[in-house]
Amino acid sequence: MPTKRTRTLIIAALLLYFFANQTQVGWLYVMAALMLGIVLASWLLNRSMLTGITGERHLSLEEIYEGDSLEITLNLHNTHQTAGAQIRTAEVCPLADPETPEHQIEVFLPILPGHQSTSMTYSVPAYRRGLQSFSALDVTTQAPFGIFRTRRKIEITTRVLVYPEVRKLNRLALIDRQPAAQQSRPRAGLGSEVIGVRPFRPGDSPRHVHWRSVARMQHLMSKEFADEAHPGVTLVLDLFQHPYSPSTTKHTPFEWSIKAAASIAEYAYRRGYPLHVVADSTMLPPPPGPVSWSGLMQYLGRIEPIGTQPLSEIIPAQSYQTYVVVLIPWPDDWLIEPLLGLKYRGLDIEAVVVDPASFPTNGPSAESLIDSLVGAGIDGTLIRFGKDWAEQISGTVQRSKIAV
Amino acid sequence: MTSLIETIRRASKQRETSLPLRSITFAAQAIGMIAVAFDTHLWLVTFLSLVILVLGHLNAYHAAKTHPNPVIQVAAFVMLHGSLCWMIIGLFTTQPFPQAQFAMLATAIISWELFSRLNLMSGLGFGLANLYVAATLSRDLLFGFFLILYVVFLLAFLWAADSEDGVRSNPIILRPHGLTKEPKGYAVLESVRVLETWGPRFGLFLIVATGLVFLITPHYAGQPLIKPFSFRVPIRRPPSAQVINPAIPLVQVEGWSDGQSEYYYGFASQLDLSYRGGLTKEIMMYVRSSASSYWRSQAFDTYDGRTWSQSRQDARYIPYDGPVFHLRDIPPNSNRFVQTFFIQQPLPNLIFAGGDPADIYITANGISVDYTGGIRLGEPLQPGMIYSVVSTPQNFDPDMLRNVDTAYPAEVTNLYVQLPPTVTARTTRLAHEITKNAPTQYDKVIAIRDYLLSNYPYDFYPPAQPPGKDAVDQFLFVDKRGVCEHFVSAMVVMLRSLGIPARLVSGFGSGIFNQITGYYEVHANDAHAWTEVYFSNVGWVPFDPTPGWTGNPQTGRIQRWLFSNAFNGVDLSGISVPMGDVAQAGAVLLSTAAMPFIILLGIALLVTGVWWLVSSWRIGRRERQSRVWLRDPARQQVFRLYRNAQRALRAYRQPEQTVQEHAALHQEIARLASLVEIAAYRSVPPTIEEIKLGTSEDDK
C-alpha cells in the first residue's frame, strides 16, 4: 500500500520530467527516473519484507484459572535470508482485561536479521474464564524508507481455556448439616434412586430382584440404589439465554453463578462428595457424572448462556444426587414448582440465587424469588455484587424457613 | 482546507530534536550547494552559504529544544528578501549565475527556521532544488556523483525518521536474540546489518528500475517555456570579413600542422588541402539540440587545384536590434529546432549552426552573413559564451530530388561549377564512368558519393601533397586515401565536371550525444568538411562522402530514449503508422495540453497560498484573543490560587486530568475547582464575591 511519501516522490518525478522536457537537460531525466526508481525498488523490497516471519506463543501455565497470573512468551522468527526491518505489531491478549494496557501491547522490531529470532515475555492476569483465542498477529512494516506499507497476518494458533475462579468456601450449609458420608453399604434398598443392577447378595431384599436381568443372566440380579450414606452433589446450572445486558466484564450475574458453582464443587470434592451436573445439553452436553475435577472445570470454562431451554423445563426430567445445588443467575418464578418437585422427591436442595439488580449491568431483582423459595421451604442464598460471593455462600446469612 | 492548515500547523509545531536527522538534512543541502559550485565556480558564495547553513542548523537545533528567537526570525526574513533582490539585480548586471546564487543563499537562510520534522523535509526539498540548478548547468558525468550522494542522504533520512518514530511510539522495542543488553552504537550496528542484507539488493533494483524508466520514458523537447538565450560578455566589434581562428599557430609550416591541436584549417579564409595532422579530443563545445545535425560554419566555392577559398568578400550585415538576430522568416507550420551552444574552448568568429538557421540569439552588436550562408562575428568565440540558434530542419526526400529540373540559376553556375585547369581529364572521365548509369542528378550525386565511400579509405596522415599536382587527382589516382577534405574535394570536382553545382562546407560533425546529460559533446577532432550540392527549386543539399561519417548529414532524430525510432512503420489497414512518431505525438499532446493545466496549477497555488495566509492569520488571531482573554486579572488570580493549592497539597493535576477529575480525588479543593472552571471557560470573568466564595480558609 503506498504512503504519502509515494505520492511525494511521484509528484517530484513528474515535475522533474516536465522540466526535463522543457529544458532538454539529460540529468533531469535521470533525476526523474531516479525518483521513480526509488519508488519501484522500494515496492519490490517491501513486498518481501515480512514473508519469512513466523511466530509461536508459549504460556507458562497448563491449567489457568480466572485471576491467575501467567507469563506469555511470543517468539518471532525470520526464516528467510533477508532481514526484516521496522516491523510493528500489536500483541492482543484476550486473557487480559480489555481496559488494561496488557490487552494490547504495541511492539516495534527495528531489525530481525535473516534466520534469527526474538521474543517478548509479558505477564498478564487471566481476566475472565472462557475459551480464549488469540487473533492472528497483525504485522506491518513500511521498510524500506516508508514509501510502501505491507501488512501480513501471522496465524499463531493459541487457544486457552480459562477455568472459572474458585474460592475456598468455609462451609456449605447444605452439606454440612447432613451427616458425613459413611462407608458404602453392601445392601441394596436404601436410597430412592436406582442407579443400576448387580448380582444378588445375601441380605438383599427379595422385593428388589430385577427379574428381567435374571432371565437374561440366568442368575439372581438385584436393583442397586443410591446409597444415602454416600451421597453425591448435583449442580444444576441455568444456561438459558436470559435478557442479560451485553458485557465483556467478568462481573455479570451469569459469571458469578459459574464462579459459585465452581467453588461449591470444590467444597464438595474436598469433602469427598461425587459431583454431577445438570444443565441444558443443547449446546454443550454436561459431562456424565460423576464428574472429574478437570472435566468439570473444562465444562464450566466453556459454557455460555446460550441455551434454548428454560431451566424450569429441564429440572423435572433429570436424575439427581442426594444434594442438589441450583445456581440461578436470573430470577425466574417458574423455577419454584420444579424445585418443589425435587424437594418432594426427598432431595436436599439449596438455591444459590444471584441478584442481577445489584450488578453494574443491571437487571431484575431476585429478592422476590428468594423469598418465594424460602417461603416454599427451599433453602436459598442471595448473592449480591459488591461483596465477596464466597463469603455470601458460606456465610451465616442464609435464608431458610424456620420450622415452626 | 482549514483542517489541512491545522494539520500542517500541528506538524510544524512538533519540534524535531533528533540530531541524526538534522545532520543528514544538512549534508543533503550541502551536497546540492557543492554541486552547483562545481559547475558555476561560485566558490565564495558557496562557502558563505555553507557557513550560514551550519550556523542555521545549529540555531534551529537549539531553538527546537527551547524557543525560536524572534530577532533571528526577523533577520532571516530580511536576509531572504535581500538575497532575492540580489538575484534580480544580478539578472540585469553581469553577475554570474544569479539564480544559482539565490538558490544557495535561500537554502542557507531558511535553515535557521527548520524546527520541525516537516521543516527538515522541506529542507531536503531545497537541497533537491539546488541539485536541479546544478543539473541544468552540468555538462559532464561528475554531477552523477553528487546525485548519488543526495539520494543516499535522502534515503538515510527516511530510514532514520521511521526508526525514530518506531522507537518513540511503541512501548516495547525488541532486539534479535543474542543482544541482551543494548551495546553502545547498536544503532550503527543495526544500520550496518541492514546495509549488508539489503544494500546490494536495493542498489540493484534501483539501478535496473532507474535505467528502465530512463530508457522507456519519451524524451521530447516539447514547447519550451524559456526562450533561447545567450549569456556572457557581448561581442562589441563589428563582424569581420576574415575568419579569425584563435587556434592558428604563430608559425605555420606549409603542409603541416600541429600533431595534436585544436587548429582546424577548415576554419580559415582558405582551406589548404596540403595540410596534414590530427586534432585533439578536447571538447570544444557542448550543444543542446532537439535534433541531430552537423554544425555548419561556412562554405568555399573556388578551387585552384590545392586550396579552397571564397571568391566574394561581401556579406550581409545585421545589426543588433533586440534579443534576436533574424536571418529569415520561417514559413508557417514549418518544423523548427533550437540548438544552444556552450563554448568550452576558443573558437573562430564563426557561428556554428545546424539545419537552416533563421534566428540567432547572441549578445553581439552585429553579425554578418556571407553569400554561402556562413555567419560571422567580430571576435572569436570565447569559453563560457552561450548562444542559441533556431533553425528549420534539413530533410530532403530522394524521390523529390530525383524529379528536380537541372536548369540552374546563373548566380549558382557562375560560382559553383567552376573548375581550375589543374583538374585532369582522368578525373572527369572517372566522374562520367561512375555516373553513366545514373539517370538523374540525384542518382549521379549518390553514385559518386558511394564510389568514394567504397573505394577510398580514410587516413589521418596521407602522403604529403607534391607541389604542382592537382590535389584531387593525387587523391583519386595516386594516394587513394586521405582525410575528409580530400573526399569532399574529389566529390565536388567530379560533380562540377558533370555540370552539377557543388561546394565544400566546413564545420563540426554532430559530436557524441551523451544520453545522460543530454548534450552533444563536440570535440576538436569532430571538425569536418562535407559537400553541398545545388538542386533547382530546392537549394543546397548536404552529402558526406567521407568513410566513417554519416553519408546523409541531414537533420535527424536523436535516439533519446529506447523507442525513439522504434516501429517506424506499422501497417494498420494499409496506413503506415510510425509508432515512434505516435509516442512523440503523445508527448507533444501531453506537453501542449499540460500547459493550461500548468497555468491553472500556478493560479491554484497562488490562491491556496493567499487562502493559507488568511486562514493562518485568522487562526492566529483567535489564539491571540484567547491569550488576551486569559490575561484578565481576576482569572489570573484564580489560576494562581489553584496552583498554590496544588502545591500545598502536593497533588498536581496531571495533563490528562480535568480539573473536576482532579478535585474528585482531592475534596479539599472541590470548590476552588469549580471556580477555576468559571475562570477558564466563562466569558465573564469571576467576580470578587465568587472568588471569595470559592476560596475558604481550608483552601487558603
Side-chain angles (χ1 to χ4, degrees), chain B residues 464-484:
Chain B
Q465 171 73 24
K469 297 286 184 187
D470 182 76
V472 171
D473 181 84
Q474 184 72 18
F475 165 73
L476 285 173
F477 301 105
V478 180
D479 297 334
K480 296 187 182 177
R481 61 186 191 273
V483 295
C484 54

Side-chain angles (χ1 to χ4, degrees), chain B residues 159-182:
Chain B
W159 176 272
D162 287 342
S163 288
E164 295 208 356
D165 286 347
V167 170
R168 257 186 237 167
S169 60
N170 291 277
I172 295 182
I173 314 298
L174 294 185
R175 307 282 188 207
H177 285 152
L179 223 69
T180 50
K181 285 187 183 176
E182 189 168 309

Side-chain angles (χ1 to χ4, degrees), chain B residues 169-370:
Chain B
S169 60
N170 291 277
I172 295 182
I173 314 298
L174 294 185
R175 307 282 188 207
H177 285 152
L179 223 69
T180 50
K181 285 187 183 176
E182 189 168 309
K184 198 173 177 182
Y186 179 78
V188 174
L189 181 66
E190 186 182 293
S191 304
V192 169
R193 279 192 181 174
V194 163
L195 281 173
E196 271 174 1
T197 55
W198 282 7
R201 286 180 73 196
F202 183 79
L204 181 64
F205 286 159
L206 184 60
I207 289 168
V208 170
T210 303
L212 275 174
V213 171
F214 179 78
L215 285 174
I216 66 176
T217 47
H219 297 181
Y220 178 66
Q223 307 295 331
L225 290 171
I226 302 169
K227 285 188 180 287
F229 58 93
S230 173
F231 267 161
R232 286 298 180 175
V233 178
I235 299 169
R236 301 191 193 284
R237 277 197 215 156
S240 168
Q242 295 294 317
V243 176
I244 308 165
N245 191 332
I248 292 178
L250 290 174
V251 178
Q252 295 187 62
V253 177
E254 184 179 294
W256 194 252
S257 69
D258 234 340
Q260 292 288 317
S261 75
E262 284 101 43
Y263 165 45
Y264 177 54
Y265 44 90
F267 299 145
S269 299
Q270 288 185 327
L271 190 154
D272 191 333
L273 293 175
S274 63
Y275 273 102
R276 300 291 182 264
L279 295 166
T280 66
K281 290 182 186 172
E282 191 78 29
I283 293 180
M284 304 304 287
M285 59 185 178
Y286 291 98
V287 183
R288 184 181 295 150
S289 171
S290 49
S292 67
S293 177
Y294 281 7
W295 316 117
R296 185 184 186 278
S297 62
Q298 60 180 352
F300 300 95
D301 59 290
T302 303
Y303 173 61
D304 66 0
R306 185 182 121 164
T307 307
W308 283 93
S309 60
Q310 289 186 333
S311 58
R312 287 163 53 180
Q313 298 303 311
D314 57 301
R316 178 167 65 105
Y317 174 69
I318 303 175
Y320 180 76
D321 183 25
V324 59
F325 290 94
H326 186 69
L327 302 184
R328 62 180 180 88
D329 293 329
I330 297 177
N333 300 323
S334 294
N335 287 334
R336 63 192 69 190
F337 69 105
V338 180
Q339 320 115 61
T340 304
F341 297 81
F342 301 82
I343 309 302
Q344 303 299 302
Q345 300 293 336
L347 279 169
N349 61 327
L350 300 167
I351 294 281
F352 297 90
D356 193 3
D359 294 316
I360 299 175
Y361 293 78
I362 189 165
T363 48
N365 285 348
I367 63 172
S368 64
V369 183
D370 67 26

Side-chain angles (χ1 to χ4, degrees), chain A residues 5 16-19 21-31 33-38 40-42 44-45 48-49 82-83 85-86 88 105-111 113 116-120 142-146, chain B residues 128 132 135 138 140-141 143-144 147 151 155 158-159 162-163 165-167 169-177 190 193-194 197-198 201-202 205-206 210 213-214 218-221 223-225 288 516-518 560 598:
Chain A
R5 289 179 187 171
L16 285 168
Y17 178 71
F18 173 76
F19 285 118
N21 272 323
Q22 291 298 314
T23 60
Q24 285 298 292
V25 173
W27 279 117
L28 294 182
Y29 286 111
V30 174
M31 288 167 73
L34 200 51
M35 294 292 127
L36 283 181
I38 290 173
L40 287 172
S42 299
L44 284 169
L45 271 183
S48 60
M49 198 61 60
T82 314
Q86 297 179 347
R88 286 179 157 93
I105 304 171
E106 304 284 341
V107 176
F108 179 68
L109 190 51
I111 185 168
Q116 288 209 25
S117 58
T118 185
S119 61
M120 171 183 75
Q142 289 189 183
F145 314 124
Chain B
L128 186 63
Y132 170 89
S138 173
D140 52 26
L141 298 180
F143 176 78
L147 183 60
V151 167
L155 296 178
L158 297 177
W159 176 272
D162 287 342
S163 288
D165 286 347
V167 170
S169 60
N170 291 277
I172 295 182
I173 314 298
L174 294 185
R175 307 282 188 207
H177 285 152
E190 186 182 293
R193 279 192 181 174
V194 163
T197 55
W198 282 7
R201 286 180 73 196
F202 183 79
F205 286 159
L206 184 60
T210 303
V213 171
F214 179 78
H219 297 181
Y220 178 66
Q223 307 295 331
L225 290 171
R288 184 181 295 150
I516 290 177
T517 63
R560 292 182 185 279
I598 297 292

